[in-house]
Structures are given as C-alpha cells and as structure tokens.
C-alpha cells in the first residue's frame, strides 16, 4: 500500500473524490500550510488531506461564507493541534480525502482563498503536530473491486431517480436549477460520490458513505437515505430549501 506524509486540514465537513472545495483560510497554522504548498512548481499537484473532525471543532469564529469581517480580522494565532486534544488523531475520522489546490490566492492581509478538488480516499496512520501545521502519514484507500455481476450500474440508475425526486422535494417542483439527465454522470462511482456530497446529511452519515468499501455498498445506502429524506421533506413544506442547497465556503 502506498503511503505519504501530507499537510492535514481538519474540517467539520466531508470531502469526496471529484468534488470541489472552496476554503477561506485565515488562521496562521493553515496559512503556513498554504505558503508551503505555494513553493511547489506550478505543474505539480498541491496536495493536502481533508479529514472530518470527530471530536472538536473548527475554531473559526464565523458562520458559513466569506464575510468582509473575516478579511478585516487579525489572524488567529493557534498551535497546530490546538482544539484537538493531546493526541490529535483521536479527534479525527480515520478516512479522509486528498485535495489538490488548483487555485490559491493570497489576499493583501495574508489570508487565502483556495479552490481545491478532492482526488482520492486515504486512511490516516498517524498525525504529527511538531511543525507549524498538522501533517499526517496516510495510505491510499482504494475501493474493493466489483464482484462478478456487480449491481452498481443498476443501483446507480435507481439512485439517480431517487436523487431527482429528492431535489424536486427539496427545491420545489418549479425550481429551474435542478440537474437534468444530461448534466449527471453515468459512472456509478462518480454518481455515488456526487450524490453523497449533494444530499443534505450530517457529517457522521457522509463519513460513513465516504468509508463504504465499494461503490455498490455506497449506492445501496444512498438509495435508502434518499427515500427516507424525501419522505421527511414531503411532511415539511416550509423547509428553507434555498439555504440547504447553497454550496458553502468553509472558513477555517
């Protein structure tokens, strides 16, 4: 199994392979991480690991989004492992996702806007906090190969139908921004990650989907979840769908 040591970025969120992650970075420990990534050649991937926090929290004083007050505030000075206990790895879920920072833009105040994309799943083996930012030794976590007669294709079709029904319930039947069939992928693995990211679920549930051993298992659980969530939404006509469907920017 291939291992590597990469910078670690804990979030109260789960990143999936193929999904885009916008970040608003202003804490010094994460700014230091990005300054190091910027030393890489432009044609090399600028990789770091996003892992969901199990016990602890992001220490940003802001809500989702990128308000002007964040840029105006002085950077928070925190030790690399502050907020995550004496043994940081115990505060994190053990499966995360490698992110490739395609865009890193430094603001005049030294904070950063980052646009990264999830690439592959990894398992955390250890976490090191002796440097200016957290790093983790990780190993690649490939999905188990499909069994003969794998049902992932059929499950993907069912999940897409259930996902469209869920979107309609969530956003309203007249919503024009719903994805059409031509806009959705046809690869079962890609579908499984897209649906996991786009469905409004809590972090433990999304983490369980990320950790699923194979695509068919993930799709099977998503089908159950989508049917359940759609039924719940049917009885909550006043649900604020516009807030739930807005893609967040994560402040550290």
């Amino acid at each position: 199994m291939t291992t590597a040591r990469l910078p670690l970025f804990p979030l109260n969120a789960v990143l999936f392979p193929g999904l885009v992650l916008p970040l608003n970075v202003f804490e010094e420990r994460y700014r230091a991480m990005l300054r190091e990534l910027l030393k890489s050649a432009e044609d090399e991937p600028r990789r770091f690991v996003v892992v969901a926090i199990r016990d602890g929290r992001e220490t940003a004083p802001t809500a989702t989004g990128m308000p002007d007050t964040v840029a105006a505030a002085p950077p928070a000075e925190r030790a690399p492992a502050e907020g995550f206990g004496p043994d940081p790895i115990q505060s994190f879920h053990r499966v995360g996702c490698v992110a490739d920072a395609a865009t890193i833009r430094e603001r005049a105040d030294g904070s950063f806007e980052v646009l990264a994309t999830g690439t592959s799943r990894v398992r955390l083996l250890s976490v090191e906090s002796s440097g200016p930012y957290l790093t983790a030794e990780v190993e690649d976590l490939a999905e188990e190969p499909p069994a003969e007669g794998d049902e992932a294709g059929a499950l993907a079709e069912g999940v897409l139908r259930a996902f469209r029904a869920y979107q309609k319930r969530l956003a309203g039947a007249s919503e024009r921004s719903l994805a059409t069939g031509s806009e959705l992928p046809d690869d079962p693995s890609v579908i499984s990650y897209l649906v996991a990211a786009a469905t409004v679920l809590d972090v433990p549930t999304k983490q369980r989907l990320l950790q699923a051993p194979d695509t068919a298992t993930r799709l099977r659980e998503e089908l159950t979840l989508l049917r359940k969530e759609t039924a719940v939404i049917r009885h909550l006509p006043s649900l604020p769908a516009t807030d739930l469907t807005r893609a967040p920017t994560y402040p550290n």
Side-chain angles (χ1 to χ4, degrees):
M1 190 71 69
T2 303
T3 63
R5 180 161 291 280
L6 295 172
L8 186 66
F9 204 123
L11 286 175
N12 286 321
V14 178
L15 177 63
F16 294 91
L19 275 296
V20 174
L21 175 71
L23 292 168
N24 175 33
V25 179
F26 60 91
E27 284 189 30
E28 176 54 32
R29 51 183 167 178
Y30 302 118
R31 291 172 17 162
M33 182 192 84
L34 291 171
R35 287 194 294 267
E36 187 65 27
L37 289 177
L38 282 172
K39 294 178 183 178
S40 302
E42 291 187 6
D43 58 346
E44 292 183 2
R46 292 165 174 166
R47 301 192 305 158
F48 59 96
V49 176
V50 172
V51 65
I53 298 168
R54 183 203 304 273
D55 181 20
R57 66 182 183 87
E58 297 174 51
T59 54
T62 64
T64 298
M66 209 177 295
D68 292 339
T69 52
V70 171
E77 299 291 343
R78 293 183 171 91
E82 185 172 338
F84 302 125
D87 186 10
I89 195 171
Q90 302 303 326
S91 296
F92 308 137
H93 289 280
R94 296 301 176 92
V95 174
C97 184
V98 175
D100 182 6
T103 302
I104 303 176
R105 187 175 73 83
E106 186 171 6
R107 302 190 188 98
D109 66 350
S111 63
F112 290 88
E113 291 181 22
V114 180
L115 194 63
T117 302
T119 60
S120 60
R121 301 187 307 168
V122 291
R123 188 186 306 278
L124 270 65
L125 302 177
S126 66
V127 173
E128 176 61 51
S129 60
S130 61
Y133 51 85
L134 292 175
T135 63
E137 184 182 5
V138 298
E139 64 178 6
D140 292 338
L141 184 61
E143 293 201 4
E144 294 180 5
E148 187 174 347
D150 182 58
E151 59 180 329
L155 281 167
E157 293 179 4
V159 166
L160 284 179
R161 287 194 297 270
F163 183 61
R164 291 190 187 99
Y166 167 81
Q167 282 188 308
K168 289 178 181 178
R169 285 288 178 183
L170 191 64
S174 63
E175 176 63 55
R176 295 179 178 230
S177 64
L178 296 177
T180 65
S182 61
E183 295 170 335
L184 292 170
D186 55 13
D187 180 272
S189 180
V190 175
I191 290 171
S192 74
Y193 287 131
L194 173 63
V195 169
T199 305
V200 181
L201 302 167
D202 60 22
V203 168
T205 301
K206 285 181 178 280
Q207 182 67 32
R208 191 167 67 247
L209 293 173
L210 177 68
Q211 295 179 189
D214 54 63
T215 298
T217 299
R218 186 177 302 108
L219 289 167
R220 197 177 298 113
E221 182 163 358
E222 287 171 350
L223 191 57
T224 299
L225 287 167
L226 286 167
R227 288 170 174 168
K228 177 182 176 181
E229 293 298 313
T230 302
V232 169
I233 295 168
R234 186 179 298 120
H235 297 289
L236 295 172
S238 62
L239 194 68
T242 54
D243 289 338
L244 291 174
T245 55
R246 183 176 295 120
T249 296
Y250 295 98
N252 70 277

